[in-house]
Amino acid sequence: MSENIKKLAVLTSGGDSPGMNAAIRAVVRTCAYHNIECVGVYRGYEGLIEGDFEPLTARSVKGIINKGGTFLKSARSKTFRTKEGREKAYQNLKKENIEGLVVIGGDGSFTGALVFNTEFNFPVMGIPGTIDNDIYGTTHTLGFDTALNTVVDAIDKIRDTASSHNRLFFVEVMGRDVGHIALNAGIAGGAEEILIPEEDLGLDRLVESLNRSKTTGKTSSIVIVAEGDKIGKNIFELKDYVDQNMEGYDVRVSVLGHMQRGGAPSCFDRVLASRMGVKAVESILEGETNYMVGLMHGKMQLTPLEKAIKGKTKINLELLRVSDIMST
Ligand code: ATP
């Protein structure tokens, strides 16, 4: 480990996700373990610009591993997109003798971190925190597993009503550009159809498939729709289309919304956050910079931030096939 670094900072940026608190805790405790000071930055890059810092010790982060959201708060900062804003942030870090920054957030936050590093040669390390699982270089982002459990729980409850009333439910889940939540939670919740941004099922095929399910004895159906599904219709337009083109079902819509981002992190996310926090701090101490920590093949791995930002995650084709077979 490097003898040189004596003080690091950590912040959370962009949308919050379950497991961020657990990751902050891991960063702070790894610093304490290596006798390094750790500073928490409130409200992401906004707090960096305003100098909203607080020294954190191992005891400051007690009792938060099980809490959703982020106690450091998160923000989207317009000022950090300007050179003047970033200059202020840099001066604040210098004033406090902070020598490295751990950024917990999504690809936008990583873009900001990379720009900052390029301008000031300031060491940065990313931890992927977003429920969408849309970041290249990790099979799981922080919060994805918890969000899946939340969505599956909601589908199970909706199913009770659907089957009691012969209803067809369209359930909208998060995922503007990627269908990881829809596909995984859809399979786990026994959905009849799953509409994702990566695949265009087509409206006629959707109706055909729902009719087929009905003729084979299904009395209720659940269709999971990712926000950005490829058919391009919003969930209420989908409902109207099916209402007009299918008989015998009472069609309803449920938009799960922000409840998917909240709640206590799952065991998986707590362990992942702890591993990522340790890896992030120790990598900086080993002189690595401009990387994101991720989980690949069961191990912690570093991916250059640039690759993590530009790389595209792919939908698992095997899962798509499983979903098709399960809707038989
Ligand atoms: P989520 O996945 O929840 O959207 P995110 O990290 O992608 O999280 P963004 O709002 O895209 O969220 O980015 C967070 C912050 O990162 C922005 O508010 C901004 O301060 C900073 N940022 C993003 N892009 C840039 C950029 N090109 N230059 C400087 N800062 C940036």
Side-chain angles (χ1 to χ4, degrees):
M1 299 285 154
S2 159
E3 295 296 309
N4 304 326
I5 290 188
K6 298 267 180 284
K7 201 171 184 182
L8 295 180
V10 57
L11 59 78
T12 46
S13 168
D16 66 303
S17 71
M20 280 184 162
N21 274 326
I24 298 166
R25 171 181 180 271
V27 167
V28 172
R29 295 221 167 142
T30 309
C31 284
Y33 179 84
H34 290 287
N35 293 316
I36 293 161
E37 285 180 68
C38 189
V39 170
V41 180
Y42 285 97
R43 297 173 294 115
Y45 293 128
E46 275 298 287
L48 208 55
I49 293 164
E50 291 170 20
D52 195 359
F53 298 168
E54 186 185 334
L56 299 174
T57 67
R59 296 288 76 76
S60 322
V61 288
K62 67 175 193 279
I64 63 167
I65 193 168
N66 56 339
K67 302 274 191 288
T70 158
F71 89 95
L72 285 178
K73 315 271 183 203
S74 193
R76 303 191 197 268
S77 168
K78 280 197 182 131
T79 323
F80 197 72
R81 291 179 184 271
T82 66
K83 178 88 201 252
E84 299 73 43
R86 293 191 295 272
E87 176 70 40
K88 269 193 196 158
Y90 177 68
Q91 293 308 336
N92 285 333
L93 287 167
K94 287 302 285 178
K95 203 163 63 196
E96 293 293 327
N97 297 318
I98 295 165
E99 296 156 292
L101 177 65
V102 178
V103 173
I104 307 170
D107 57 351
S109 303
F110 295 163
T111 306
L114 198 55
V115 170
F116 189 64
N117 172 273
T118 310
E119 281 172 353
F120 301 103
N121 195 25
F122 195 87
V124 292
M125 188 63 61
I127 293 181
T130 165
I131 64 165
D132 290 338
N133 209 33
D134 58 349
I135 297 185
Y136 181 85
T138 187
T139 54
H140 290 75
T141 54
L142 275 187
F144 175 53
D145 183 69
T146 305
L148 286 182
N149 287 314
T150 304
V151 173
V152 170
D153 195 37
I155 297 172
D156 287 348
K157 287 176 174 149
I158 289 169
R159 169 90 54 198
D160 289 345
T161 297
S163 54
S164 303
H165 293 273
N166 284 9
R167 277 181 186 160
L168 164 60
F169 263 92
F170 282 97
V171 180
E172 186 187 273
V173 303
M174 282 188 173
R176 207 155 278 141
D177 304 308
V178 289
H180 300 296
I181 292 181
L183 186 57
N184 285 275
I187 291 174
E192 277 63 36
E193 289 295 341
I194 303 168
L195 308 183
I196 56 175
E198 292 87 345
E199 269 235 318
D200 188 355
L201 178 68
L203 281 174
D204 293 338
R205 238 205 79 195
L206 173 67
V207 171
E208 203 180 289
S209 161
L210 291 171
N211 271 324
R212 203 172 44 240
S213 296
K214 211 156 147 263
T215 50
T216 57
K218 280 199 177 168
T219 52
S220 68
S221 282
I222 288 186
V223 179
I224 302 297
V225 186
E227 282 166 307
D229 91 278
K230 195 111 189 198
I231 291 177
K233 298 227 177 284
N234 75 39
I235 196 157
F236 296 99
E237 292 168 333
L238 282 174
K239 172 197 181 290
D240 289 346
Y241 186 89
V242 171
D243 251 344
Q244 284 155 18
N245 292 279
M246 246 189 108
E247 295 202 340
Y249 268 141
D250 179 10
V251 188
R252 298 293 168 100
V253 164
S254 180
V255 177
L256 298 189
H258 281 83
M259 58 106 80
Q260 295 164 87
R261 288 232 300 245
S266 65
C267 171
F268 182 90
D269 275 328
R270 296 181 201 189
V271 174
L272 183 65
S274 305
R275 293 175 76 185
M276 285 179 165
V278 171
K279 181 74 177 171
V281 171
E282 295 195 334
S283 298
I284 296 184
L285 297 186
E286 282 159 6
E288 307 287 5
T289 178
N290 287 3
Y291 286 99
M292 179 198 83
V293 300
L295 180 69
M296 292 301 266
H297 313 294
K299 293 203 168 87
M300 284 294 108
Q301 181 182 292
L302 296 181
T303 299
L305 275 182
E306 197 164 2
K307 249 181 149 180
I309 295 159
K310 289 193 182 143
K312 288 260 168 279
T313 58
K314 289 198 183 114
I315 205 79
N316 185 332
L317 295 178
E318 187 229 328
L319 283 188
L320 270 183
R321 188 161 174 272
V322 168
S323 142
D324 275 350
I325 294 173
M326 290 304 110
S327 62
T328 301

